[in-house]
């Protein structure tokens, strides 16, 4: 075990006080790990790209795909913050069950990672929670792409349920500190608001992306 990273006898939770005095059933942790996958960027971005491509094909326009790349670029801002604030994960998911960060390592900026040994490079990147940002950005984009065929309650469910589930699971499991998830929530809300403010149907595009404009009447 790396020096300076103590391993407690009982698995801690990072929501503040322990939510449960008794250790939860193994199936409950397994269930939360599965629900946490609702915020996996790779799957969500692939799904969004596929839907955008299908819509673009049938409507004969590249604009839905442009929307996708706009969202993709915005999610890259998460990496910028992770590099600017190298915060240690409370419970490193690899190796499992992994060591735990102590109180001193919970600081937002922890520049000295020499004491963490070989795990130093993989121990940081907690702030903000990328999973929480992903749920807001990608489910928000899915609603923007398919909202016309969804009912109001369906749109609201897609916009609220995944982020609430991922917020709880990623914090409860110790993958992120509570403040990581809160920061991810506010960042995701800001980024999806930027997406909604852009007029994607009329935003100017280069002619090579819309060559059919050559044949439109002025």
């Amino acid at each position: 075990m790396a020096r300076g990273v103590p391993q407690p006898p009982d698995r801690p939770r990072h929501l503040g006080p322990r939510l449960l005095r008794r250790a939860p059933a193994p199936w409950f942790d397994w269930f939360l790990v599965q629900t946490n996958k609702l915020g996996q960027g790779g799957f969500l971005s692939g799904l969004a790209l596929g839907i955008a491509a299908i819509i673009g094909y049938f409507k004969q326009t590249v604009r839905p795909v442009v929307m996708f790349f706009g969202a993709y670029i915005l999610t890259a801002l998460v990496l910028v913050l992770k590099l600017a604030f190298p915060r240690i994960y409370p419970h490193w998911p690899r190796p499992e069950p992994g060591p735990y960060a102590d109180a001193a390592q919970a600081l937002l900026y922890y520049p000295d990672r020499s004491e963490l040994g070989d795990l130093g490079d993989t121990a940081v990147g907690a702030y903000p929670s990328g999973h929480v940002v992903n749920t807001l950005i990608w489910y928000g984009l899915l609603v923007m792409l398919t909202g016309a065929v969804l009912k109001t309650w369906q749109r609201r469910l897609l916009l609220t349920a995944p982020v609430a589930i991922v917020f709880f699971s990623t914090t409860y499991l110790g993958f992120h500190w509570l403040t990581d998830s809160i920061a991810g929530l506010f960042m995701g809300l800001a980024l999806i608001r930027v997406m909604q403010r852009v007029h994607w149907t009329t935003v100017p595009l280069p002619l090579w992306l819309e060559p059919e404009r050559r044949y439109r009447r002025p």
Side-chain angles (χ1 to χ4, degrees), residues 123-136:
V124 297
Y127 184 90
S129 170
H131 273 57
V132 174
V133 175
N134 285 335
T135 55
L136 283 160

Side-chain angles (χ1 to χ4, degrees), residues 10-210:
D10 190 17
R11 185 173 185 175
R13 303 301 182 194
H14 301 282
L15 285 172
R18 284 183 61 89
L19 294 179
L20 299 173
R21 293 295 180 182
R22 181 168 54 88
W27 67 265
F28 185 65
D29 274 9
W30 176 88
F31 176 74
L32 290 183
V33 170
Q34 303 312 308
T35 59
N36 193 58
K37 294 178 181 179
L38 290 171
Q40 285 187 337
F43 169 76
L44 291 175
S45 61
L47 177 63
L49 177 59
I51 293 176
I54 292 173
I55 294 174
Y57 173 79
F58 283 102
K59 291 191 174 183
Q60 293 296 297
T61 177
V62 74
R63 290 181 179 272
V65 178
V66 172
M67 288 176 60
F68 165 81
F69 282 107
Y72 196 89
I73 293 173
L74 289 179
T75 57
L77 295 177
V78 177
L79 298 178
V80 175
L81 283 181
K82 286 180 177 291
L83 292 174
F85 300 99
R87 192 183 202 182
I88 296 179
Y89 291 99
H91 168 235
W92 308 341
R94 296 180 180 84
E96 188 68 34
Y100 295 85
D102 56 29
Q105 294 165 343
L107 297 175
L108 189 61
Y109 185 77
Y110 193 80
D112 184 13
R113 300 187 293 275
S114 59
E115 65 182 30
L116 303 179
D118 295 336
L119 294 176
D121 292 335
T122 61
V124 297
Y127 184 90
S129 170
H131 273 57
V132 174
V133 175
N134 285 335
T135 55
L136 283 160
I137 289 291
W138 294 119
Y139 287 101
L141 178 61
L142 290 175
V143 169
M144 292 174 64
L145 290 170
T146 64
V149 298
L150 297 177
K151 296 181 180 179
T152 301
W153 70 268
Q154 293 172 327
R155 293 195 295 269
R156 290 176 178 173
L157 185 65
L158 280 175
L159 291 173
T160 57
V163 67
I165 293 171
V166 172
F167 186 102
F168 176 79
S169 63
T170 198
T171 309
Y172 182 89
L173 291 169
F175 293 160
H176 284 279
W177 305 97
L178 176 60
T179 47
D180 299 337
S181 298
I182 293 175
L185 179 64
F186 281 102
M187 184 176 183
L189 288 172
L191 294 181
I192 194 60
R193 183 57 178 164
V194 170
M195 288 288 297
Q196 293 170 341
R197 295 287 292 177
V198 176
H199 298 285
W200 295 101
T201 57
T202 58
V203 63
L205 294 178
L207 190 60
W208 61 271
L209 282 178
E210 290 186 313

